[in-house]
Amino acid sequence: MFTGIENAFVNLPQALKADWPGNVWWHWVIFTLIAIVFFLGSVIMFIFMERRVLAKMQARIGPNRIGPFGLLQAIADAVKVLTKENITPSNADKIVFWLAPAIVFAPVLMVFAVVPFANGAVLADLNIGILYAIAIGSLSTIGVFMAGWSSSNKYSTLGAMRMVAAVISYEMPIVLTFATIIVLTGSMSLNDIVIAQGKYWFIFSQPLGFFLAFVAGCAEINRSPFDLMEADSEIVAGFHTEYSGMKFAMFYLGEYGEAVVMSTIIATLFLGGWQGPFLPPFVWLIGKIFFVFFLMIWTRTTLPRVRIDQLMKLAWKFLFPLALINLFATGLEVLTFPNGLPWYFIPVNFGIGVVLVLLWSRLYKVGWGRIEIQ
Amino acid sequence: MTTALVAQDIANQLNANYPGVNTEVNNNAVIIDSKSLLSLMTYLKITPGLDFNYLTTITAIDYYQQFEVVYLLVSMEHNQSLTVKTRCNREDPVLPSVTSLWRSADLQEREIYDLMGITFEGHPNMKRLVLWPEFQGHPQRRDYLQ
Amino acid sequence: MTLRTEPFIMNMGPVHPSTHGVFRMRVTLDGEVVIDMEPVFGYLHRGIEKLAEERTYLGVIPLTDRLDYLASMTNNFGYCLAVEKLAKIPVPERAEYIRVIMAELQRLAAHLISVGSFLNDAGAYFTPFLYMFRERERIIDLFEMVSGQRLLYNYMRPGGVSQDLPEEFIPALQELLKQMKGYMQEYENLLKDNEILGARAKGVGILTRDMAINIGASGPVLRASGMKWDIRKVDPYSIYNRFEFDIPTGVQGDCYDRYRVRVEEMKQSLRILEQAYQKIPAGPYHTEVPQLIRPPVGETYAHIEAPTGELGFYLVSDGGIAPYRCHVRAPSLMNLTALRDMVKGWKIQDTILTFGSIAITMGEVDR
């Protein structure tokens, strides 16, 4: 049943060449549509999943009224939020205030241009795919800071400043772990990376890399325990405290969109993307995306929030050195075995990861951090 | 069991140590003249054997002619308690603050100032506690109407 | 070139997700660091002490419900003790046991909320909070059984309690006590030794022992600072001297200690409950007292160990049907005295955490 769809996916780029009537690159149009539909659909599913899984983990039921199992709750919420009044604070910087949600939202969508849904089924198979994803993904920070600054609200400003600090710090380990993957595959194209995971997924040969990417990814998209930027018990809602109506919905979508993007990139880089037996590739990809997101929900329900200085410490003293060492070790391995790593590097790398994490957790201490005030 | 000390003994002890101060005893409470309140309270706090290191509560009672302010002291070391009272007139209600001895008096004195209108001299932050600064009157007084 | 910086003042509250009501903190910030903090009270001031002067002695009981609205039973208890002391009303044996059971259940319920909301302030996104509410719900069901109310029980009376225990109460209590042990273990497994919680709460917001005594702190806040002081032990009221229980204390008085002391206290409450429901005697559940109690002229102070600390009532009688003066020693208010010193120099997040670990109820602070 799926084979037809799968074939269509794979053959589309070949079938729809640029020399179609009118010289339009039809497959761009179609894949853009697919990407947008996929994005919006998965965001809605993410919201639903987050609320239901959170509820299950917290011994309650969660939304279950609208649609089967409450599946349409997110849509109902969207309708509600669209009909809300659009409030702009009187001393807000109007233009920036209005521009911010769009700037947060657009880059998130753009990342999907490079995500392969099957072999070759990708909107633009850029040879610098990862670089593009990272660069575009961090653009939304600007939007967040614009929102925080223009709201002229102290909570917003604080949240925005925390966000910028966190994102800049966590970009480092995340880029370094991605670089490790690039060293392993020798390509920056996401499709090539997925193809390179035909034998085994990189989560097995790079367990530490997966761990670092997951932690740094959680921080990058401010998921708990790093959700300081919108810590509801401290700074109310962070940068979007003053937003309402559609503008708030954009932030909300953007936030879950970032979660989709991060899950997708991690699933593609470490969990083998569309690779997998029996089921069609795009089902595998979607399944893996949801698995990664499930992990994020799990950490969110369980862990308390770290403090801002601990967040910085974790980035610079824990994740960053580990990512560097990991990159170095992987580089050595690749130098020694240029034609692909043999299987026994899976336990070796696993051992390296465990030893490094244990060692580093003993090396420095988070906590304390009182500043003397006269 | 927290033993309530016999007020008469304490009053005698105070009278012996501070000649010239008037301490009365009424209903097992030592009643101290407001002028010597601070020095006697200091004595109660630092004297070995008494060691009243814990000020449980302060409250003020309006008797129309005068205010009576009640201090409930507890010594955690000896598990003893003592009631100390002082009085001030209604026209110009001023009392020395005991915040320098027990910081627990901080918010409670502010509350009494707010609701009863007794000013505590030497309090570091004599502002209204629960009512807003522009509020007129002191509602806990018995004759407060409205 | 040096950048010119200046501290900015932020108002946290009165409407803020984690001010536990309508507390307001004027926080002066240098970036993330709190350099000064001024608490602002009074947003929930209802003048309960003044209102009490115009009610009969029985009519004040509903008002006391509204002090610490998360621990109405213990508030009733404290007030009734004061009236009994003033008017010399005897309390039958069965009523004493019922009161102790209610007070300890209430302590459990209140501590569940305190601990839950503390962990919520730490950022554990409602999970511990909701787990604890699940059990609190069971306790509230028990209260509903005896009093018909779920929040403001108005259950105790001078001279006893308003209604006898219904038949199904004891089995339900037994069932709850049996399950509660497993639940407690669940909370411990969830976050007790969590690394992040340790990093956030250990050593943060320290209240030293001397300071705690000096500011008049009481209850878990005082005990977390290392002072073994529990009114139930040092000045046993009602029949607390008949039960076996320990006083858990902390070591250095940080947020983590306060959290631990509360959890340990819940276990002790379970111990008391185990002993209490087995020994409960038959007999009358209240003494007949007139509707209008006229205590002799005099004044009295009665205090109990409420979940938040030492709750005291200073009652003055002029021989009439209403208290001449009814002062409430509010533990929540006293525990807040040192808040400024505890949070100074820490980050905003620690302010919230410290404030959460003191676990106040605004109804009691403002009265």
Side-chain angles (χ1 to χ4, degrees):
Chain A
M1 170 197 170
F2 287 114
T3 38
I5 307 171
E6 185 190 348
N7 288 340
F9 255 115
V10 179
N11 297 336
L12 259 172
Q14 281 80 38
L16 305 168
K17 285 280 183 243
D19 51 357
W20 266 55
N23 205 12
V24 179
W25 291 1
W26 285 102
H27 89 275
W28 278 31
V29 176
I30 288 169
F31 267 101
T32 309
L33 272 178
I34 288 176
I36 291 176
V37 169
F38 171 79
F39 174 76
L40 289 177
S42 49
V43 162
I44 285 171
M45 276 312 292
F46 265 41
I47 294 172
F48 168 74
M49 180 179 165
E50 165 126 49
R51 296 185 63 175
R52 283 298 287 220
V53 175
L54 263 181
K56 283 278 174 239
M57 287 183 176
Q58 294 178 338
R60 54 192 176 92
I61 299 166
N64 65 344
R65 292 285 127 180
I66 299 165
F69 314 109
L71 265 169
L72 302 179
Q73 182 66 40
I75 294 166
D77 281 347
V79 171
K80 180 201 75 173
V81 102
L82 286 178
T83 51
K84 291 258 173 184
E85 189 190 351
N86 233 332
I87 300 167
T88 312
S90 58
N91 45 0
D93 190 337
K94 300 273 176 336
I95 297 170
V96 182
F97 189 78
W98 277 82
L99 213 54
I103 292 185
V104 170
F105 186 66
V108 177
L109 202 52
M110 283 160 68
V111 174
F112 272 89
V114 292
V115 175
F117 289 85
N119 190 5
V122 53
L123 172 57
D125 193 2
L126 294 181
N127 53 3
I128 50 156
I130 290 191
L131 210 56
Y132 169 84
I134 295 167
I136 295 291
S138 49
L139 262 184
S140 46
T141 318
I142 298 172
V144 168
F145 195 74
M146 284 164 68
W149 186 256
S150 63
S151 301
S152 73
N153 177 320
K154 284 165 183 171
Y155 294 126
S156 305
T157 317
L158 268 176
M161 288 196 296
R162 284 179 178 182
M163 173 81 176
V164 173
V167 168
I168 289 174
S169 311
Y170 277 86
E171 211 90 297
M172 288 296 188
I174 222 169
V175 169
L176 284 175
T177 39
F178 289 177
T180 322
I181 301 295
I182 298 168
V183 167
L184 271 177
T185 54
S187 167
M188 283 196 192
S189 155
L190 286 172
N191 200 33
D192 292 350
I193 291 173
V194 175
I195 291 169
Q197 298 180 65
K199 243 194 311 188
Y200 49 79
W201 300 347
F202 284 153
I203 183 175
F204 298 117
S205 59
Q206 285 294 324
L208 183 62
F210 173 75
F211 171 71
L212 295 176
F214 182 75
V215 173
C218 277
E220 173 109 3
I221 59 172
N222 45 16
R223 301 278 311 179
S224 180
F226 310 108
D227 58 345
L228 300 130
M229 310 82 197
E230 44 205 65
D232 53 343
S233 61
E234 290 144 17
I235 49 172
V236 187
F239 58 86
H240 58 65
T241 308
E242 292 290 352
Y243 281 87
S244 66
M246 187 59 206
K247 296 204 289 292
F248 170 73
M250 296 277 271
F251 277 120
Y252 199 66
L253 278 181
E255 198 178 300
Y256 279 92
E258 282 181 348
V260 177
V261 166
M262 198 43 79
S263 311
T264 311
I265 292 179
I266 290 177
T268 311
L269 293 186
F270 291 97
L271 298 178
W274 45 260
Q275 299 269 19
F278 312 125
L279 292 172
F282 70 94
V283 176
W284 273 104
L285 179 68
I286 292 172
K288 285 165 186 171
I289 293 173
F290 276 83
F291 172 71
V292 175
F293 188 63
F294 174 77
L295 292 183
M296 289 182 183
I297 298 175
W298 200 357
T299 54
R300 182 177 183 192
T301 44
T302 320
L303 296 175
R305 190 180 295 126
V306 298
R307 207 169 56 199
I308 181 76
D309 55 324
Q310 294 165 353
L311 183 84
M312 292 294 138
K313 270 186 195 162
L314 189 74
W316 291 105
K317 291 190 180 172
F318 189 90
L319 298 179
F320 184 62
L322 287 199
L324 261 183
I325 294 173
N326 191 35
L327 177 60
F328 184 68
T330 314
L332 278 184
E333 287 164 12
V334 172
L335 263 184
T336 333
F337 297 94
N339 303 322
L341 298 181
W343 67 269
Y344 54 79
F345 268 98
I346 293 174
V348 168
N349 278 347
F350 192 77
I352 292 177
V354 170
V355 168
L356 281 178
V357 169
L358 286 180
L359 193 67
W360 246 258
S361 59
R362 293 279 162 272
L363 271 181
Y364 81 99
K365 183 179 167 198
V366 291
W368 296 89
R370 185 177 185 274
I371 291 164
E372 281 304 325
I373 305 282
Q374 289 80 35
Chain B
M1 236 10 213
T2 308
T3 22
L5 289 182
V6 183
Q8 190 63 54
D9 299 348
I10 304 294
N12 294 343
Q13 202 177 334
L14 289 175
N15 284 333
N17 281 292
Y18 289 85
V21 298
N22 289 325
T23 41
E24 314 163 34
V25 171
N26 182 14
N27 198 9
N28 207 23
V30 186
I31 301 174
I32 298 178
D33 190 47
S34 65
K35 283 194 274 306
S36 49
L37 179 74
L38 202 56
S39 53
L40 294 189
M41 283 297 207
T42 317
Y43 175 81
L44 288 175
K45 190 190 172 188
I46 61 172
T47 311
L50 296 175
D51 293 312
F52 287 108
N53 54 355
Y54 190 81
L55 175 64
T56 311
T57 185
I58 308 176
T59 183
I61 303 152
D62 182 7
Y63 284 116
Y64 292 106
Q65 304 85 22
Q66 63 188 4
F67 288 123
E68 195 171 84
V69 179
V70 185
Y71 298 82
L72 290 176
L73 303 177
V74 169
S75 156
M76 286 188 161
E77 214 168 304
H78 311 293
N79 202 1
Q80 293 167 337
S81 69
L82 178 70
T83 312
V84 177
K85 288 183 184 173
T86 185
R87 287 170 178 155
C88 66
N89 62 341
R90 285 191 58 146
E91 286 69 47
D92 180 26
V94 179
L95 279 178
S97 167
V98 292
T99 353
S100 51
L101 297 174
W102 300 282
R103 274 189 61 198
S104 54
D106 185 350
L107 295 176
Q108 304 199 68
E109 283 180 352
R110 273 177 71 186
E111 192 191 348
I112 293 172
Y113 166 71
D114 189 356
L115 300 176
M116 279 287 191
I118 303 174
T119 313
F120 288 88
E121 268 178 348
H123 189 283
N125 188 18
M126 202 78 245
K127 290 195 296 191
R128 281 186 182 273
L129 182 76
V130 289
L131 299 170
W132 56 102
E134 297 80 24
F135 190 85
Q136 297 292 318
H138 303 284
Q140 191 81 52
R141 292 186 177 184
R142 293 292 294 193
D143 56 1
Y144 181 85
L145 294 172
Q146 188 200 340
Chain C
M1 190 191 100
T2 49
L3 282 172
R4 196 178 64 90
T5 59
E6 60 182 68
F8 73 96
I9 294 169
M10 190 163 81
N11 272 307
M12 286 193 131
V15 182
H16 185 278
S18 52
T19 48
H20 298 230
V22 282
F23 187 61
R24 177 172 149 213
M25 294 182 265
R26 272 180 94 248
V27 193
T28 311
L29 293 173
D30 177 9
E32 288 266 350
V33 181
V34 177
I35 53 177
D36 199 5
M37 200 279 295
E38 187 196 354
V40 183
F41 303 89
Y43 291 92
L44 205 60
H45 179 62
R46 295 146 297 174
I48 281 182
E49 289 180 13
K50 181 75 179 173
L51 286 171
E53 289 171 10
E54 288 158 17
R55 301 277 190 287
T56 60
Y57 281 92
L58 278 179
V60 177
I61 298 175
L63 290 180
T64 64
D65 277 339
R66 283 146 182 85
L67 285 170
D68 182 350
Y69 39 77
L70 298 177
S72 301
M73 281 289 185
T74 45
N75 296 345
N76 290 174
F77 198 178
Y79 175 73
C80 291
L81 278 180
V83 176
E84 283 154 14
K85 217 169 152 185
L86 198 61
K88 305 201 173 47
I89 303 170
V91 183
E93 192 83 332
R94 184 176 172 82
E96 295 275 28
Y97 274 93
I98 295 176
R99 282 179 174 192
V100 167
I101 289 176
M102 293 306 156
E104 292 309 312
L105 280 175
Q106 183 69 81
R107 189 183 319 279
L108 266 178
H111 277 353
L112 283 172
I113 293 191
S114 323
V115 172
S117 54
F118 164 73
L119 293 173
N120 204 29
D121 289 345
Y125 202 75
F126 291 106
T127 312
F129 192 66
L130 283 162
Y131 275 89
M132 288 173 188
F133 255 65
R134 182 185 62 188
E135 276 75 80
R136 179 175 177 266
E137 201 61 24
R138 305 274 306 272
I139 299 173
I140 303 277
D141 285 345
L142 288 179
F143 287 154
E144 192 183 7
M145 230 179 249
V146 296
S147 70
Q149 304 291 329
R150 290 178 63 84
L151 187 67
L152 308 168
Y153 311 111
N154 188 14
Y155 179 57
M156 297 187 192
R157 297 280 184 277
V161 293
S162 69
Q163 289 145 64
D164 202 358
L165 294 182
E167 252 168 44
E168 65 271 22
F169 180 84
I170 295 289
L173 178 65
Q174 266 172 319
E175 183 67 23
L176 176 72
L177 290 180
K178 217 188 298 166
Q179 293 175 2
M180 202 57 200
K181 296 224 170 65
Y183 290 146
M184 297 293 299
Q185 195 53 46
E186 216 170 65
Y187 313 145
E188 304 283 70
N189 293 347
L190 183 62
L191 278 174
K192 183 187 171 194
D193 295 322
N194 188 286
E195 194 70 34
I196 299 178
L197 187 69
R200 281 295 306 282
K202 280 184 185 161
V204 174
I206 292 181
L207 182 68
T208 58
R209 190 173 150 224
D210 292 344
M211 174 92 119
I213 294 171
N214 198 259
I215 64 151
S218 52
V221 177
L222 178 63
R223 287 192 285 276
S225 300
M227 185 70 206
K228 217 172 176 141
W229 186 264
D230 189 317
I231 310 292
R232 290 175 293 173
K233 279 274 193 213
V234 298
D235 190 12
Y237 52 95
S238 191
I239 50 166
Y240 270 106
N241 44 10
R242 296 184 199 174
F243 302 111
E244 237 179 69
F245 61 99
D246 303 324
I247 311 174
T249 48
V251 184
Q252 54 175 351
D254 54 10
C255 294
Y256 192 77
D257 277 349
R258 285 189 279 275
Y259 151 66
R260 288 310 307 161
V261 162
R262 284 204 177 84
V263 175
E264 294 301 325
E265 247 172 54
M266 284 197 257
K267 292 179 185 162
Q268 298 302 326
S269 287
L270 286 177
R271 259 178 84 186
I272 297 177
L273 283 170
E274 288 278 359
Q275 298 166 38
Y277 84 82
Q278 284 164 353
K279 288 196 233 157
I280 186 163
Y285 61 92
H286 73 302
T287 333
E288 287 299 332
V289 283
Q291 281 285 311
L292 298 176
I293 306 170
R294 287 174 199 271
V297 181
E299 46 202 84
T300 189
Y301 177 72
H303 56 178
I304 62 157
E305 184 71 31
T308 39
E310 178 185 346
L311 176 74
F313 285 87
Y314 195 88
L315 281 183
V316 180
S317 160
D318 59 349
I321 55 167
Y324 185 78
R325 175 88 169 86
C326 169
H327 174 73
V328 186
R329 186 222 189 258
S332 293
L333 178 72
M334 310 281 282
N335 290 349
L336 279 180
T337 310
L339 184 62
R340 179 165 174 269
D341 304 72
M342 283 155 81
V343 302
K344 234 171 148 183
W346 292 101
K347 308 267 191 304
I348 308 171
Q349 291 179 292
D350 300 319
T351 312
I352 297 292
L353 197 71
T354 311
F355 182 70
S357 75
I358 298 176
I360 56 150
T361 316
M362 281 324 281
E364 196 173 61
V365 173
D366 291 338
R367 279 163 290 153

